[in-house]
């Protein structure tokens, strides 16, 4: 097996987790399959860079002396928000030499400036999708998924989404079982498919300000199979259904029904990944009632039915 070089571009203001997250995935894969990956870090002139968290990263080499990579990875961070003509020029001249181009978070901005996202579908951190679309109307910017793969170019959302994308690349190279072994070794809670929304239910719907509403959120997460209609949830919060629905949306940014849908989907996904329970049992314990109802929810949100999701994301060996 030929060793695949992963070249990670460093610069001042880089987000440290955008670098170390994917690097740990590729390093983990190398541990399971020796000789599979070689990670090389490089800054423009080979000098150390300062990350957004204050850490100093010492690159292996300068970009001008870096080996031709199999995978060229451009991380994000505050350092991508200003101009960087030298780095963009280097990417424009050398990016096409890599078999695949990858960006994490706002690293997509640099790939866009170098012209590699023209005519492609791409994503970035949700907070910068609108700006990326405005600055580069030739790019089909999708703010929803955690990562997008369009041919040889892959872009991902903020920070931890880079881990999900790196795991997908490892799966492409080395197979599903190796990727899942790496995920488990890193204690990644869920290996998410690319079309998963950038937020989980708890992240999308921030915790409510008032304790009765926060208690309802906790109850939903702990009891997905319970009766979770608005009347029942309102009674738990000691509010009228109308007042509860209005207050829940005002404080969490989503409706009670939508929040329940997301929690149930996440619960079912965890059971499909981590247990051997049957589809019918999972549909009941996750609050769907029937396998068909769960199948519709999976196809609508994840683009795949539960059985196929389990086949793809549950390891075949332990």
């Amino acid at each position: 097996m030929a060793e695949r070089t992963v070249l990670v571009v460093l610069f001042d203001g880089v987000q440290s987790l955008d670098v170390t997250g994917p690097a740990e995935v590729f390093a983990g894969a190398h541990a399971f399959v020796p000789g599979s990956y070689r990670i090389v870090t490089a800054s423009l002139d080979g000098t150390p860079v300062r990350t957004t968290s204050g850490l100093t990263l010492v690159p292996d080499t300068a970009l001008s002396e870096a080996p031709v990579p199999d995978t060229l990875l451009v991380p994000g961070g505050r350092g991508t928000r200003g101009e960087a003509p030298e780095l963009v020029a280097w990417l424009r001249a050398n990016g096409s030499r890599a078999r695949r181009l990858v960006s994490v978070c706002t690293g997509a901005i640099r790939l866009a400036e170098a012209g590699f996202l023209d005519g492609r579908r791409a994503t970035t951190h949700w907070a910068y999708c609108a700006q990326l679309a405005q600055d580069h109307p030739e790019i089909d910017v999708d703010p929803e998924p955690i990562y997008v793969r369009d041919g040889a170019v892959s872009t991902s959302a903020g920070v931890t989404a880079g881990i999900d994308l790196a795991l997908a690349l490892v799966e492409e190279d080395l197979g599903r079982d190796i990727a899942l072994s790496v995920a488990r070794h890193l204690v990644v809670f869920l290996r998410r498919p690319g079309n998963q929304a950038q937020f989980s239910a708890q992240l999308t719907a921030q915790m409510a300000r008032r304790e009765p509403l926060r208690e309802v959120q906790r109850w939903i997460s702990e009891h997905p199979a319970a009766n979770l209609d608005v009347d029942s949830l309102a009674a738990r919060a000691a509010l009228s259904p109308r007042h509860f629905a209005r207050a829940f949306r005002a404080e969490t940014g989503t409706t009670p029904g939508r929040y329940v849908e997301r929690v149930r989907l996440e619960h079912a996904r965890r059971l499909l990944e981590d247990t051997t329970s049957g589809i019918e049992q999972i549909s009941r314990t996750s609050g769907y009632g029937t396998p068909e109802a769960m199948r519709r929810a999976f196809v609508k949100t994840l683009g795949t039915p539960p059985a196929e999701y389990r086949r793809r994301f549950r390891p075949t060996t332990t």
Side-chain angles (χ1 to χ4, degrees):
M1 175 187 297
E3 187 177 59
R4 302 170 178 87
T5 298
V6 179
L7 177 59
V8 183
V9 177
L10 301 183
F11 48 85
D12 282 322
V14 70
Q15 163 68 251
S16 57
L17 190 54
D18 289 2
V19 175
T20 59
E24 290 292 346
V25 170
F26 291 116
H30 178 83
F32 282 107
V33 183
S36 54
Y37 294 105
R38 172 193 178 201
I39 302 167
V40 177
T41 57
S43 63
L44 266 174
D45 55 5
T47 58
V49 301
R50 189 82 162 169
T51 71
T52 55
S53 60
L55 297 174
T56 297
L57 300 180
V58 181
D60 296 311
T61 186
L63 283 172
S64 60
E65 300 175 2
V68 175
D70 172 80
T71 300
L72 176 59
L73 189 149
V74 183
R78 286 198 297 267
T80 62
R81 257 79 97 197
E83 295 184 358
E86 291 181 86
L87 177 55
V88 171
W90 185 90
L91 288 172
R92 189 178 293 119
N94 295 276
S96 59
R97 301 171 67 195
R99 179 172 66 93
R100 58 191 178 197
L101 292 172
V102 175
S103 68
V104 181
C105 195
T106 54
I109 294 173
R110 294 296 182 235
L111 290 187
E113 291 169 340
F116 289 109
L117 301 185
D118 292 357
R120 295 184 183 273
R121 179 169 165 260
T123 194
T124 186
H125 189 290
W126 63 268
Y128 298 96
C129 281
Q131 188 65 50
L132 181 63
Q134 179 180 315
D135 293 344
H136 301 276
E138 64 279 10
I139 302 172
D140 178 13
V141 179
D142 189 342
E144 289 296 326
I146 58 173
Y147 62 81
V148 170
R149 303 189 63 190
D150 188 335
V153 181
S154 299
T155 53
S156 63
V159 289
T160 57
I163 295 175
D164 295 287
L165 176 53
L167 285 167
L169 299 177
V170 168
E171 179 176 358
E172 177 185 90
D173 294 339
L174 304 178
R176 181 169 61 97
D177 287 344
I178 295 299
L180 287 169
S181 294
V182 173
R184 289 186 170 235
H185 180 71
L186 294 176
V187 201
V188 176
F189 185 55
L190 291 175
R191 227 187 113 240
R192 303 174 291 176
N195 57 0
Q196 164 108 5
Q198 289 199 23
F199 300 126
S200 68
Q202 287 75 17
L203 287 175
T204 303
Q206 324 135 50
M207 291 302 288
R209 184 179 68 255
R210 285 179 282 180
E211 178 56 35
L213 297 181
R214 290 201 300 271
E215 171 57 31
V216 167
Q217 287 179 285
R218 288 191 288 267
W219 171 263
I220 293 171
S221 296
E222 294 168 3
H223 303 86
N227 178 9
L228 300 178
D229 62 23
V230 170
D231 287 349
S232 298
L233 297 177
R236 179 164 292 278
L239 297 171
S240 71
R242 183 177 181 181
H243 185 190
F244 168 77
R246 185 169 59 246
F248 191 94
R249 180 161 191 169
E251 294 198 18
T252 69
T254 191
T255 65
R258 182 59 176 152
Y259 186 81
V260 168
E261 289 175 4
R262 289 170 175 160
V263 168
R264 283 175 169 165
L265 185 70
E266 290 177 14
H267 186 267
R269 288 175 56 228
R270 287 196 294 271
L271 293 179
L272 287 169
E273 293 184 19
D274 298 333
T275 76
T276 59
S277 299
I279 299 294
E280 186 172 352
Q281 180 182 350
I282 291 175
S283 68
R284 289 197 306 270
T285 58
S286 299
Y288 288 108
T290 67
E292 176 58 24
M294 186 169 79
R295 189 193 71 80
R296 289 196 300 268
F298 267 67
V299 170
K300 176 184 176 181
T301 305
L302 301 177
T304 187
E308 174 62 15
Y309 182 91
R310 166 171 274 174
R311 188 193 71 78
R312 290 183 58 200
F313 296 105
R314 185 174 184 274
T316 58
T317 58
T318 58

